[in-house]
Amino acid sequence: HRDLHSFPYTTLFRSRIKYVTLQYIINLYNRKICMLQQEFLGHILSKNQRILSLMGPSGTGKSFSAEFIKEYLDYRIAKQITTRDKRPDDTHYEFISRQEFVDLENQGKILGLFAGDKHTLQGNGYGYIIEEVLEQLQHDNKLILFPSAYELNNPNFGKQYGTSHKIGLGFTNFQNVKLRALQCDKVFSEEELQSRIKTAATLTEIMENYARKKDETFKLIYSDSDSLNIQQSKILQLQEILSFIGYNPNDFKNQLEE
C-alpha cells in the first residue's frame, strides 16, 4: 500500500479542487445576484405603468411611435442590445456577437431572449442588460422598451414585465410588409423580402395568440390599412397607442398633423 499523499501531484490536485469549488461558489453567488435583479426589475415594472413596451415585426412603425412619444411625452428610449446586422438609421442599439448574447442570457443578466438555436447560433437576440435598465430607472420613470414578440411565448413574460403597458404592432395584409420594406433606403433581395413577410406573419400570430389571454396590460394594434397610405396608418396607430397609455390623442392633434 502506498500513501496517496506521497504522490507528487497531490498538492496540485488539492489546489485544483479548491479552485473549482471556489469558482462554483462565485458562479452560484453571481447567479443569485442576477435572479434578485430580475425579481427587483419585475417588481418595478409591476408598479410603474409609465414604462411602455413596443413589439412587432419590422415596418410596423415602432420607431415612429417611440420617437413621437419621446419628444412630446418626455419618455426615454432604453438602449437595447442585439445581434442583428446594423442598419443606417439605428440609434438605440448596442451590437454584440451572438455568442456574447447567449452567454449573458445563460447567466441571467438579460431581459430578453435569443430567438433561434443557441447551439448553432442561428438566429438573433434582442434584450436589455438588467443592471443597466435598473440604473436608468433611477433617473427616468418613463421608459420605452422594444422586447421581441417571441418573448410572449415565455411563461414568465407577465411576471417579467409586470403591469407596464405592452403594445404589439402587427400586420393584417402581409404584402404590406413588402411595400414598407421598399420604402427603406436599403435594397432588399426577393429572398430577403419573403423572409421578412414570413417573420411578420409568425410574430403577428404570436401576438394574436397572446391577445386571446385577455391581459389588460397588453394591446394588439394592426399598423396597416389598405384604405390608408403608410403615414396615415402610422398616425392612426399612434393615436391608439396614446389612448391606451392614458393620453387623449386630441391633445396632440397639431403635432400629429406636422
XYZ file of all heavy atoms in Angstrom, residues 96-139:
353
model
N -23.728 43.344 -30.356
C -22.781 42.382 -29.797
C -22.886 41.089 -30.602
O -23.809 40.901 -31.400
C -23.053 42.101 -28.302
C -24.432 41.443 -28.111
C -22.956 43.384 -27.484
C -24.695 41.019 -26.665
N -21.948 40.178 -30.363
C -21.961 38.911 -31.098
C -23.042 37.987 -30.532
O -23.513 38.163 -29.402
C -20.599 38.223 -30.983
O -20.399 37.731 -29.668
N -23.418 36.995 -31.326
C -24.428 36.036 -30.876
C -23.935 35.263 -29.649
O -24.708 34.995 -28.727
C -24.780 35.076 -32.022
C -25.556 35.743 -33.149
C -25.789 34.776 -34.309
N -26.691 35.338 -35.313
C -26.310 36.163 -36.274
N -25.027 36.508 -36.370
N -27.181 36.641 -37.141
N -22.654 34.906 -29.638
C -22.117 34.157 -28.509
C -22.149 34.990 -27.233
O -22.492 34.489 -26.154
C -20.678 33.710 -28.805
C -20.105 32.772 -27.732
C -20.899 31.486 -27.612
O -21.019 30.717 -28.557
N -21.467 31.238 -26.429
N -21.809 36.275 -27.344
C -21.866 37.160 -26.176
C -23.287 37.239 -25.637
O -23.509 37.202 -24.420
C -21.377 38.566 -26.553
C -19.881 38.695 -26.761
C -19.498 40.100 -27.201
O -19.960 40.539 -28.287
O -18.743 40.770 -26.464
N -24.259 37.360 -26.543
C -25.657 37.473 -26.114
C -26.099 36.208 -25.387
O -26.697 36.277 -24.306
C -26.562 37.733 -27.315
C -27.975 38.100 -26.943
C -28.383 39.420 -26.944
C -28.901 37.119 -26.591
C -29.689 39.764 -26.603
C -30.197 37.448 -26.238
C -30.596 38.777 -26.248
N -25.805 35.049 -25.986
C -26.211 33.776 -25.386
C -25.562 33.601 -24.019
O -26.202 33.134 -23.061
C -25.848 32.604 -26.327
C -26.010 31.262 -25.605
C -26.722 32.640 -27.568
N -24.294 33.980 -23.889
C -23.608 33.870 -22.600
C -24.294 34.741 -21.546
O -24.509 34.307 -20.404
C -22.138 34.287 -22.741
C -21.311 33.271 -23.522
O -21.788 32.125 -23.681
O -20.207 33.628 -23.981
N -24.642 35.978 -21.912
C -25.318 36.882 -20.978
C -26.702 36.351 -20.591
O -27.105 36.429 -19.427
C -25.453 38.277 -21.599
C -24.169 39.098 -21.717
C -24.405 40.341 -22.571
C -23.660 39.509 -20.337
N -27.405 35.779 -21.579
C -28.734 35.224 -21.290
C -28.622 34.020 -20.354
O -29.399 33.884 -19.400
C -29.432 34.814 -22.589
C -30.863 34.331 -22.361
C -31.553 33.899 -23.641
O -30.977 34.074 -24.740
O -32.684 33.387 -23.543
N -27.646 33.155 -20.611
C -27.453 31.986 -19.756
C -27.072 32.370 -18.336
O -27.366 31.638 -17.385
C -26.378 31.069 -20.356
C -26.840 30.375 -21.627
O -28.044 30.244 -21.873
N -25.898 29.918 -22.441
N -26.428 33.508 -18.190
C -26.041 33.992 -16.863
C -27.180 34.732 -16.164
O -27.047 35.145 -15.023
C -24.831 34.923 -16.989
C -23.554 34.238 -17.431
C -22.490 35.236 -17.872
O -22.527 36.403 -17.514
N -21.535 34.765 -18.662
N -28.313 34.903 -16.868
C -29.462 35.577 -16.265
C -29.319 37.079 -16.190
O -29.988 37.724 -15.384
N -28.472 37.650 -17.048
C -28.212 39.094 -16.974
C -29.046 39.906 -17.960
O -28.907 41.126 -18.024
C -26.725 39.362 -17.228
C -25.810 38.797 -16.151
C -24.353 39.140 -16.417
C -23.451 38.625 -15.306
N -22.026 38.970 -15.537
N -29.910 39.222 -18.732
C -30.635 39.901 -19.804
C -32.141 39.805 -19.608
O -32.669 38.753 -19.236
C -30.253 39.306 -21.176
C -28.886 39.826 -21.615
C -31.287 39.639 -22.245
C -28.452 39.321 -22.978
N -32.816 40.917 -19.879
C -34.255 40.922 -20.025
C -34.498 40.827 -21.532
O -34.317 41.790 -22.267
C -34.858 42.229 -19.480
C -36.380 42.396 -19.614
C -37.103 41.381 -18.744
C -36.808 43.812 -19.263
N -34.851 39.634 -22.004
C -34.956 39.406 -23.442
C -34.625 37.961 -23.743
O -34.562 37.121 -22.847
N -34.394 37.663 -25.031
C -34.061 36.283 -25.382
C -33.374 36.202 -26.736
O -33.421 37.145 -27.533
C -35.308 35.395 -25.387
C -36.497 35.750 -26.289
C -36.227 35.426 -27.750
C -37.731 34.967 -25.852
N -32.720 35.057 -26.945
C -32.132 34.747 -28.240
C -33.145 33.899 -28.990
O -33.442 32.768 -28.592
C -30.821 33.982 -28.074
C -30.104 33.727 -29.375
C -29.273 34.693 -29.918
C -30.287 32.536 -30.066
C -28.618 34.471 -31.125
C -29.634 32.299 -31.262
C -28.805 33.275 -31.795
N -33.696 34.450 -30.074
C -34.706 33.731 -30.859
C -34.006 32.917 -31.937
O -33.685 33.417 -33.008
C -35.686 34.717 -31.482
N -33.737 31.672 -31.628
C -33.039 30.818 -32.572
C -32.396 29.640 -31.866
O -32.741 29.322 -30.727
N -31.461 29.011 -32.529
C -30.753 27.858 -31.983
C -29.485 28.327 -31.289
O -28.564 28.824 -31.928
C -30.410 26.887 -33.120
C -29.888 25.552 -32.605
O -29.193 25.552 -31.561
O -30.169 24.527 -33.242
N -29.439 28.159 -29.968
C -28.281 28.631 -29.198
C -27.029 27.806 -29.461
O -25.914 28.288 -29.234
C -28.602 28.609 -27.701
C -29.646 29.616 -27.274
C -29.848 29.570 -25.772
C -30.892 30.574 -25.319
N -31.093 30.542 -23.855
N -27.201 26.568 -29.916
C -26.042 25.707 -30.151
C -25.332 26.067 -31.455
O -24.104 26.129 -31.509
C -26.472 24.239 -30.148
C -27.083 23.794 -28.856
N -26.344 23.652 -27.697
C -28.373 23.482 -28.531
C -27.133 23.259 -26.713
N -28.367 23.146 -27.189
N -26.124 26.305 -32.494
C -25.526 26.671 -33.782
C -25.437 28.178 -33.964
O -24.860 28.653 -34.944
C -26.355 26.081 -34.936
O -27.686 26.637 -34.891
C -26.446 24.566 -34.817
N -26.059 28.919 -33.012
C -26.085 30.393 -33.058
C -26.764 30.912 -34.325
O -26.380 31.943 -34.866
C -24.659 30.970 -32.938
C -23.919 30.640 -31.642
C -22.524 31.252 -31.653
C -24.707 31.135 -30.432
N -27.772 30.162 -34.762
C -28.585 30.613 -35.889
C -29.781 31.381 -35.335
O -30.571 30.839 -34.581
C -29.066 29.416 -36.716
C -27.949 28.641 -37.378
C -27.203 29.456 -38.423
O -27.815 30.119 -39.259
N -25.885 29.417 -38.375
N -29.910 32.640 -35.717
C -30.987 33.471 -35.197
C -30.431 34.780 -34.667
O -29.254 35.106 -34.897
N -31.241 35.523 -33.955
C -30.806 36.799 -33.391
C -31.370 36.991 -31.998
O -32.400 36.422 -31.643
C -31.238 37.967 -34.284
C -30.300 38.171 -35.461
O -29.084 38.259 -35.288
N -30.849 38.211 -36.662
N -30.673 37.800 -31.240
C -31.105 38.098 -29.885
C -31.427 39.568 -29.716
O -30.776 40.428 -30.315
N -32.441 39.841 -28.918
C -32.824 41.209 -28.579
C -33.074 41.265 -27.078
O -33.745 40.387 -26.528
C -34.113 41.625 -29.297
C -34.011 41.680 -30.804
C -34.212 40.540 -31.578
C -33.738 42.876 -31.448
C -34.131 40.585 -32.965
C -33.655 42.941 -32.834
C -33.853 41.799 -33.584
O -33.768 41.856 -34.949
N -32.539 42.280 -26.434
C -32.776 42.363 -24.999
C -32.108 43.564 -24.358
O -31.561 44.441 -25.040
N -32.146 43.561 -23.037
C -31.594 44.659 -22.251
C -30.787 44.094 -21.095
O -31.177 43.090 -20.488
C -32.725 45.541 -21.690
C -33.552 46.190 -22.764
C -34.649 45.533 -23.315
C -33.218 47.445 -23.260
C -35.394 46.111 -24.329
C -33.967 48.033 -24.269
C -35.048 47.359 -24.805
O -35.777 47.940 -25.809
N -29.670 44.728 -20.816
C -28.895 44.348 -19.636
C -29.689 44.804 -18.416
O -29.963 45.997 -18.248
C -27.503 45.020 -19.640
C -26.735 44.653 -20.915
C -26.731 44.622 -18.391
C -26.356 43.209 -21.035
N -30.090 43.876 -17.577
C -30.966 44.180 -16.446
C -30.357 45.251 -15.549
O -31.039 46.189 -15.119
C -31.255 42.893 -15.643
C -32.117 41.948 -16.484
C -31.942 43.216 -14.322
C -32.384 40.606 -15.847
N -29.074 45.137 -15.292
C -28.403 46.105 -14.415
C -28.499 47.519 -14.992
O -28.700 48.494 -14.257
C -26.943 45.701 -14.229
C -26.204 46.501 -13.170
C -24.803 45.965 -12.915
O -24.444 44.916 -13.485
O -24.067 46.613 -12.144
N -28.372 47.636 -16.319
C -28.433 48.949 -16.959
C -29.848 49.531 -16.914
O -30.029 50.731 -16.732
C -27.943 48.855 -18.404
C -26.454 48.537 -18.512
C -25.984 48.442 -19.954
O -26.824 48.623 -20.875
O -24.785 48.177 -20.171
N -30.863 48.664 -17.082
C -32.249 49.133 -17.006
C -32.557 49.642 -15.602
O -33.179 50.702 -15.433
C -33.233 48.004 -17.385
C -34.682 48.458 -17.172
C -33.039 47.585 -18.840
N -32.104 48.912 -14.591
C -32.321 49.345 -13.216
C -31.655 50.694 -12.949
O -32.203 51.549 -12.267
C -31.779 48.290 -12.242
C -32.571 46.982 -12.170
C -31.836 45.959 -11.321
C -33.966 47.234 -11.607
N -30.475 50.867 -13.525
C -29.767 52.144 -13.360
C -30.529 53.276 -14.050
O -30.656 54.374 -13.499
C -28.356 52.031 -13.943
C -27.507 53.271 -13.709
C -26.089 53.109 -14.234
O -25.671 51.972 -14.502
O -25.413 54.145 -14.376
N -31.055 53.018 -15.257
C -31.822 54.037 -15.966
C -33.077 54.421 -15.205
O -33.473 55.592 -15.176
C -32.204 53.534 -17.364
C -31.045 53.529 -18.346
C -31.478 53.074 -19.729
O -32.210 52.110 -19.871
N -31.032 53.780 -20.756
N -33.717 53.442 -14.585
C -34.962 53.705 -13.869
C -34.752 54.523 -12.609
O -35.707 55.042 -12.033
C -35.664 52.380 -13.533
C -36.275 51.646 -14.725
C -36.768 50.267 -14.321
C -37.409 52.454 -15.329
N -33.510 54.652 -12.179
C -33.220 55.526 -11.042
C -33.359 56.994 -11.434
O -33.605 57.850 -10.589
C -31.802 55.270 -10.517
C -31.626 53.915 -9.855
C -30.205 53.705 -9.358
O -29.344 54.563 -9.504
N -29.948 52.550 -8.764
N -33.210 57.264 -12.731
C -33.253 58.647 -13.218
C -34.498 58.933 -14.047
O -34.964 60.071 -14.097
C -32.008 58.935 -14.065
C -30.722 58.575 -13.393
N -30.198 59.307 -12.353
C -29.865 57.536 -13.598
C -29.060 58.749 -11.947
N -28.838 57.674 -12.687
